[in-house]
Amino acid sequence: MSEAILSATGLGRVFKIQHKGRKQDLHAVTDLDLELHTGRTLGVVGESGCGKTTLNRILLLLDTPTTGEVWFKGKACTTLSGEARREFRRAVQPVFQNPFSSLDPRMRVGKIIAEPLSTITGMSRSDIEKRVGEVLEAVGLQAADARRFPNEFSGGQRQRIAIARAIASKPEVLMLDEPVSSQDISIRAQILNILKDLQAEYGLGCVFISHDLATVRFMADDVIVMYLGRVIEKGTAQAICSTPAHPYTKALLAAALPPDPDAPRPELPPQGEIPSPLDPPSGCPYHTRCPLKFDRCETVRPPMFAAPHGGAAACHLLDPEIAQ
Amino acid sequence: MPDTAMALTSNAGRFRAFWRQLDWPLRVALAMLVIFVFVAIFGPWISPYDPLQGSLRARLAPPVWQEGGSWAHIFGTDRLGRDILSRIIAGARISLTVCVIVIALAGAVGTAVGTAAGYFGGWTDRILMRLVDLALSFPVILLALLLGAISGPSFTNIIIVISLVLWSQYARMARGETLKIRNEDYVDLARTSGLSDFRIIWRHILPNIAPSLIVIATLQVGIVIVLEASLSFLGVGVPPPAPSWGSMVADGRSYITSAWWLCMVPGLAILFTVMAVNLVGDALADRINPALRGRNI
Amino acid sequence: MMTLETETPLLEMREVSVRLGRGAQAPALIENIDLKIFPGETVGLVGESGSGKTTLGMALMRLLPPLLDQGLSGEIFYDGEDIANLRAGELARLRGGEISMILQDPMASLNPIFSIGNQLKEGLRLNATAKGNLEARAIQALESVRIPSPKTRLANHPHQMSGGMRQRVVGAISLTRSPRLLIADEPTTSLDVTIQYQFLELLKDLQKRMRMAMLFITHDFGVVAKMCDRVAVMYAGQIVEEGPVRDIFNRPAHWYTRALLESVPTVDHAPERLPTIPGSPPTITGRPRGCRFHPRCANAQSKCLEPPVDVEVGAKHHAKCWFPLRAQRGAA
């Protein structure tokens, strides 16, 4: 496969926070690797506290990792400066979850969409106007909508505006952080289709962050599953959603309730609470909730083992020695 | 020009609709405020006498409704025979000038400090906010007296002293509001678009915190007028013979038993203006705050 | 749960509307709602935002804000008694006692300054039939919602608990007086999926044990499929389809229901594109005449400009549509 357009190696982020009167380290992301290739979508799945938001912010250079590095087209990102940084800003664009928070209420839509273009040199006013019209039409709105304010639009339309903005600078990577979870169900499919169409049309690389395996299955080619800041399973979307190897992924799959009243009961239903990332369990981070745990899980943190589905998972049960 | 005519009628219509929403105290307050500003601006042209020139023959004339008063001096005259109405009119101009300069100065400094503290956080925030605490714990009157003692009463002093007291309010409000806006996704989006911090503050933060700051500015008009009057009363404010309302009250103090109107008239001018300003300011605050809060109604 | 034909409903709404104002022409949040809930069954109320599902829940609790409560019309029978005309004082007897509610945000239902134990005991104290040690009963209540080490938890304040724990406490409080009807308004929307699953299991189990009826308000078809016996689908203030849960999922009769079901992605397969419903749900003042769904419907015809009648399409299964679907889903 060709060189990754965006990748991360050994990524870690520690927040120093004040908790119950004393300073503590919060390991939001630990030792994370990922690769994103042009034209493909990488799904990132996890629940609250798994570090997916921190990961998104690091990959957008909104936050600096404590350890590790983000690579963009083979260049280390923490040292990017001047022209290279501007190029990164043009090429990597986000869409956030909440379209009410992501559009400045005091700006006209045209100005909001043109904002990523303002750092690109050599664009005349009429070029910008033309581009704004183009992208508005690309997401199913009208060029004339550029003159209106965000509060004149519904939630679904606002998210379309946010997408139009994201593609305005002809980016190569889209970072999608739960882009449909605040939307009504009849709107979700519309937004997901738009994103998928745009990705195919422009050959974008997408990172799709979600807590919902079903939308990830629809959007993503490859998936990483995160738990308490670590990747615990990775593989193709099809593999993760049909033959997951890690007990946590199985629990997630069981919790993704199918719209079918006669669905069989899952074999490994989820149990227990998500531990606080301030006080992560020893050994395997999932052992406190795992119905299959044994002695070793409490003391030794499992490395990634090859999984039957072709990917890998961090579970002792996949250790070839134990499997015997 | 039919276009301008159209605009005028629609503006008039909008004004009428706006006026109808107000309850009567607010209407009175708004009218008084308009009169205050009008008088302050056009004072020299409507004033019946020169506020600085008196005639000793007419000194301590009572107002028109008192025995011995005459329509020549509606509010009477002071100990130097100067017309009090003319001095009130001239005083309005001083009050308004002080208000405008102080609010512009304190507003600019306070907003800059508060926005920077809220936006950058960390050490910037800690240092700037200690500065605000310092400003809040400053003994104002003492400082005013000190400055007055060193350089004598002057217009510049009064501006400096009042601004020193008031800027911290803007700083606190600007910081709080900036912290709120800072967490909105559109600020992060602006950063991912490569905008500099300064441009983000200018384009996204300031327009969104402006309404709250305008409310503070309106409410401060009253405080400025009272502070200016108090300092002038203490003799460290606007230097004589300029007719500040505060120094007029001070002037009349020694005649309080024989010619009480010398204190009463400027005192009432202060009272009514400040009340009007506060009423309007409160109404504005009520109108703007729900708009900020009530997003998901 | 099967309901017998002869059984009387625990709750029945007849022609219930909530309008913004008193006139019959005032815009309606919900319009002409007929709904029955029988003892022990779970009725799902599905709809998008603005469909009026929360308003419906509030209306039958008589918890609408005063301005909307004035616009309430129709009849609501609870256990044979018309509660639509009750006064506030008489309602209080029902609210915490026989009818209980769980809302989306557990923090909004708990008082942040009192301990969990304090709030539980308050609920228990109001219960006239409750006898014995309050402390013991509070611990019992926490145990019933499977909160580990309930004794130490009693001293906790809401902010010291996770979202899932808080929602269980809310559940424990609303169940202290053994309600006969529980209204759950999106109780799991703020929870993580693995926590949601456990809460739903718990709720289902408690419902079975206490034999209470439940009105489950949600926008999530997966949750409906797991929890409900009967389903009412709401669109733009009306119930457009109602029927047994299997019929709704396997043989939806209303075009809206089918389109909505098809647009939900599943983990089983990834199609190239998802079938969509064009446009967005109408606002309260911008609702179209005739069938509310016709501007977005794939099968809209001129007949659809007239208000559709409720048609019986199966056993206890009816839909407000001029051209209801009759085929098995996926067969055509």
Side-chain angles (χ1 to χ4, degrees):
Chain A
M1 199 176 275
S2 63
E3 187 193 38
I5 180 158
L6 190 71
S7 62
T9 48
L11 221 51
R13 180 71 170 99
V14 181
F15 293 103
K16 306 259 179 216
I17 64 156
Q18 198 88 341
H19 182 66
K20 287 179 186 160
R22 59 202 165 95
K23 285 210 167 124
Q24 270 187 302
D25 287 351
L26 189 151
H27 294 264
V29 171
T30 311
D31 199 20
L32 183 140
D33 299 318
L34 63 80
E35 266 189 16
L36 176 69
H37 293 271
T38 299
R40 287 184 78 80
T41 299
L42 174 70
V44 178
V45 187
E47 296 178 276
S48 61
C50 77
K52 56 192 199 287
T53 306
T54 307
L55 174 65
N56 186 41
R57 292 181 62 85
I58 292 174
L59 293 179
L60 284 165
L61 307 191
L62 287 173
D63 196 2
T64 340
T66 319
T67 57
E69 183 63 86
V70 178
W71 305 86
F72 175 63
K73 292 184 181 171
K75 279 183 239 151
C77 283
T78 43
T79 55
L80 282 184
S81 62
E83 191 53 41
R85 201 175 182 87
R86 262 208 295 283
E87 167 60 12
F88 179 92
R89 290 300 186 207
R90 179 198 66 76
V92 182
Q93 287 288 330
V95 175
F96 289 139
Q97 172 177 358
N98 181 352
F100 288 86
S101 170
S102 60
L103 309 179
D104 188 336
R106 292 183 182 271
M107 271 195 186
R108 285 180 201 278
V109 166
K111 233 178 158 187
I112 290 172
I113 294 175
E115 196 169 72
L117 302 174
S118 63
T119 47
I120 301 172
T121 44
M123 273 192 93
S124 72
R125 192 173 280 250
S126 65
D127 284 348
I128 290 177
E129 212 167 286
K130 197 168 142 246
R131 182 70 189 147
V132 168
E134 272 170 25
V135 292
L136 273 172
E137 276 159 18
V139 296
L141 295 169
Q142 285 157 10
D145 289 331
R147 285 192 294 275
R148 297 163 69 189
F149 281 98
N151 64 8
E152 297 172 51
F153 295 89
S154 68
Q157 290 170 321
R158 278 164 172 254
Q159 197 62 307
R160 286 169 191 247
I161 294 169
I163 295 169
R165 175 204 164 102
I167 58 167
S169 61
K170 302 191 174 155
E172 290 150 66
V173 175
L174 281 190
M175 302 288 303
L176 310 166
D177 185 4
E178 304 260 15
V180 295
S181 53
S182 69
Q183 300 290 336
D184 262 324
I185 19 180
S186 78
I187 306 299
R188 282 184 193 177
Q190 295 174 6
I191 303 281
L192 290 173
N193 279 344
I194 289 176
L195 288 170
K196 209 169 183 176
D197 291 350
L198 289 172
Q199 193 230 9
E201 192 179 337
Y202 298 110
L204 301 168
C206 291
V207 174
F208 186 87
I209 299 173
S210 178
H211 67 278
D212 177 22
L213 269 176
T215 46
V216 168
R217 173 82 174 95
F218 174 70
M219 288 296 293
D221 304 300
D222 309 296
V223 174
I224 57 176
V225 183
M226 289 181 74
Y227 189 72
L228 289 179
R230 293 173 187 275
V231 175
I232 54 108
E233 181 160 5
K234 61 180 180 186
T236 62
Q238 202 239 325
I240 297 278
C241 291
S242 54
T243 52
H246 198 286
Y248 175 60
T249 316
K250 288 179 186 165
L252 269 185
L253 200 61
L257 303 169
D260 176 7
D262 295 311
R265 281 190 63 82
E267 48 172 318
L268 285 183
Q271 59 184 53
E273 291 269 308
I274 304 168
S276 160
L278 272 173
D279 188 19
S282 61
C284 172
Y286 190 62
H287 86 253
T288 55
R289 305 173 70 190
C290 184
L292 307 174
K293 74 150 187 185
F294 50 102
D295 301 346
R296 194 169 175 183
C297 303
E298 292 177 25
T299 49
V300 185
R301 190 169 52 76
M304 291 295 263
F305 293 107
H309 58 54
C315 179
H316 284 305
L317 290 171
L318 295 171
D319 187 342
E321 286 171 31
I322 289 175
Q324 282 171 8
Chain B
M1 282 181 288
D3 276 341
T4 30
M6 280 283 287
L8 270 175
T9 50
S10 78
N11 274 342
R14 225 175 296 153
F15 177 75
R16 232 173 290 135
F18 163 76
W19 188 252
R20 241 177 274 133
Q21 293 170 15
L22 308 176
D23 55 355
W24 70 264
L26 205 57
R27 289 185 193 178
V28 174
L30 213 61
M32 282 178 59
L33 219 57
V34 171
I35 294 172
F36 170 64
V37 174
F38 179 84
V39 163
I41 293 171
F42 298 102
W45 291 277
I46 56 171
S47 169
Y49 298 94
D50 183 336
L52 302 180
Q53 282 295 312
S55 82
L56 286 175
R57 250 177 302 162
R59 66 192 289 264
L60 294 177
V64 61
W65 61 85
Q66 284 295 114
E67 228 185 306
S70 78
W71 281 99
H73 300 285
I74 296 175
F75 289 150
T77 60
D78 68 1
R79 65 190 161 86
L80 296 175
R82 295 173 295 200
D83 179 45
I84 291 183
L85 176 63
S86 306
R87 288 179 66 76
I88 293 284
I89 290 173
R93 173 171 266 217
I94 294 176
S95 291
L96 187 72
T97 315
V98 173
C99 281
V100 169
I101 299 179
V102 163
I103 286 170
L105 201 69
V109 173
T111 306
V113 168
T115 317
Y119 184 81
F120 294 107
W123 277 106
T124 323
D125 185 26
R126 255 169 269 174
I127 292 169
L128 290 176
M129 287 333 271
R130 284 304 83 79
L131 218 62
V132 170
D133 291 341
L134 198 71
L136 282 173
S137 57
F138 233 72
V140 196
I141 304 288
L142 224 61
L143 178 82
L145 291 175
L146 198 74
L147 271 175
I150 295 168
S151 60
S154 81
F155 199 70
T156 324
N157 279 356
I158 204 168
I159 300 265
I160 292 175
V161 170
I162 302 179
S163 302
L164 268 177
V165 185
L166 294 183
W167 72 275
S168 53
Q169 285 194 19
Y170 293 95
R172 293 204 143 179
M173 175 61 88
R175 175 174 177 271
E177 293 290 303
T178 304
L179 282 177
K180 260 187 255 162
I181 307 285
R182 211 200 120 74
N183 288 331
E184 296 284 338
D185 287 338
Y186 56 79
V187 173
D188 275 340
L189 274 174
R191 289 173 71 196
T192 65
S193 297
L195 262 65
S196 65
D197 289 331
F198 180 77
R199 280 186 73 185
I200 291 173
I201 290 175
W202 188 253
R203 279 173 68 122
H204 293 291
I205 308 268
L206 282 181
N208 281 294
I209 66 173
S212 321
L213 294 175
I214 289 169
V215 169
I216 292 206
T218 322
L219 290 172
Q220 276 195 353
V221 171
I223 301 173
V224 176
I225 294 174
V226 170
L227 271 177
E228 181 268 323
S230 312
L231 293 173
S232 299
F233 179 84
L234 290 172
V236 290
V238 182
S244 153
W245 291 347
S247 47
M248 285 169 74
V249 175
D251 268 358
R253 203 174 23 158
S254 35
Y255 299 87
I256 192 97
T257 47
S258 53
W260 50 265
W261 57 88
L262 293 189
C263 289
M264 195 68 153
V265 172
L268 286 177
I270 295 170
L271 180 78
F272 285 133
T273 314
V274 172
M275 251 171 71
V277 167
N278 282 346
L279 270 173
V280 172
D282 278 341
L284 201 63
D286 282 350
R287 201 163 283 233
I288 284 175
N289 275 335
L292 287 176
R293 270 189 259 112
R295 176 172 290 158
N296 39 11
I297 285 176
Chain C
M1 178 134 335
M2 287 315 286
T3 48
L4 296 168
E5 205 54 58
T6 50
E7 207 169 359
T8 48
L10 180 64
L11 186 111
E12 185 175 1
M13 298 179 101
R14 279 189 211 151
E15 302 264 309
V16 171
S17 303
V18 174
R19 293 176 191 279
L20 298 165
R22 284 177 195 261
Q25 293 309 310
L29 279 88
I30 53 173
E31 209 174 346
N32 295 338
I33 300 290
D34 293 311
L35 187 68
K36 287 179 191 166
I37 303 173
F38 291 90
E41 74 167 344
T42 302
V43 176
L45 197 60
V46 223
E48 300 179 83
S49 59
S51 62
K53 55 190 195 299
T54 294
T55 309
L56 198 159
M58 298 295 247
L60 68 83
M61 284 285 275
R62 294 300 308 280
L63 278 177
L64 290 168
L67 220 77
L68 289 181
D69 204 48
Q70 288 175 4
L72 175 70
S73 63
E75 296 167 303
I76 307 173
F77 290 97
Y78 174 78
D79 211 11
E81 181 186 7
D82 188 353
I83 62 169
N85 297 313
L86 282 187
R87 288 177 189 282
E90 294 170 277
L91 280 170
R93 184 172 53 91
L94 292 175
R95 274 183 201 167
E98 297 192 3
I99 311 181
S100 223
M101 203 161 190
I102 301 180
L103 300 172
Q104 176 173 348
D105 178 10
M107 263 327 235
S109 314
L110 294 172
N111 189 331
I113 61 169
F114 293 120
S115 70
I116 297 303
N118 201 320
Q119 301 186 48
L120 254 174
K121 285 177 204 162
E122 188 187 283
L124 288 167
R125 211 172 289 130
L126 287 169
N127 189 351
T129 59
K131 292 267 152 51
N133 189 346
L134 276 181
E135 178 94 5
R137 288 188 51 93
I139 292 173
Q140 214 177 17
L142 287 188
E143 270 169 356
S144 73
V145 292
R146 295 181 209 144
I147 287 182
S149 51
K151 203 165 181 152
T152 51
R153 281 294 184 187
L154 281 182
N156 279 178
H157 283 74
H159 69 92
Q160 291 167 305
M161 309 183 113
S162 69
M165 283 289 176
R166 275 183 219 139
Q167 198 60 298
R168 285 176 193 215
V169 171
V170 173
I173 292 174
S174 33
L175 299 181
T176 46
R177 292 194 254 168
S178 326
R180 295 169 67 194
L181 174 63
L182 181 71
I183 298 169
D185 188 354
E186 306 251 9
T188 56
T189 307
S190 63
L191 304 181
D192 273 311
V193 284
T194 58
I195 307 301
Q196 156 174 298
Y197 186 92
Q198 297 173 66
F199 188 76
L200 292 176
E201 292 268 284
L202 173 75
L203 209 54
K204 211 170 172 180
D205 183 50
L206 287 171
Q207 185 214 9
K208 239 180 233 156
R209 269 197 286 146
M210 303 177 73
R211 273 196 53 80
M212 62 183 174
M214 189 150 71
L215 180 69
F216 204 103
I217 303 174
T218 180
H219 65 273
D220 187 335
F221 275 114
V223 173
V224 172
K226 184 171 174 62
M227 298 296 289
C228 302
D229 306 309
R230 248 170 355 108
V231 184
V233 182
M234 286 195 81
Y235 185 78
Q238 296 176 326
I239 291 178
V240 294
E241 179 167 6
E242 192 206 317
V245 67
R246 282 186 182 78
D247 287 353
I248 294 287
F249 280 91
N250 300 332
R251 242 173 285 125
H254 200 284
W255 290 73
Y256 173 63
T257 313
R258 188 179 73 171
L260 212 51
L261 278 169
E262 282 174 348
S263 73
V264 178
T266 63
V267 286
D268 303 330
H269 71 296
E272 262 317 297
R273 304 184 97 245
L274 290 168
T276 59
I277 305 173
S280 45
T283 56
I284 288 160
T285 49
R287 287 175 180 165
R289 67 197 178 96
C291 170
R292 299 283 168 81
F293 185 61
H294 84 260
R296 304 176 71 191
C297 185
N299 187 42
Q301 299 174 30
S302 54
K303 183 90 176 152
C304 300
L305 288 169
E306 296 165 35
V309 287
D310 232 349
V311 223
E312 199 80 23
V313 288
K316 294 177 183 173
H317 182 187
H318 49 93
K320 263 193 187 63
C321 182
W322 286 118
F323 308 99
L325 294 145
R326 311 253 177 194
Q328 189 88 9
R329 184 157 75 99

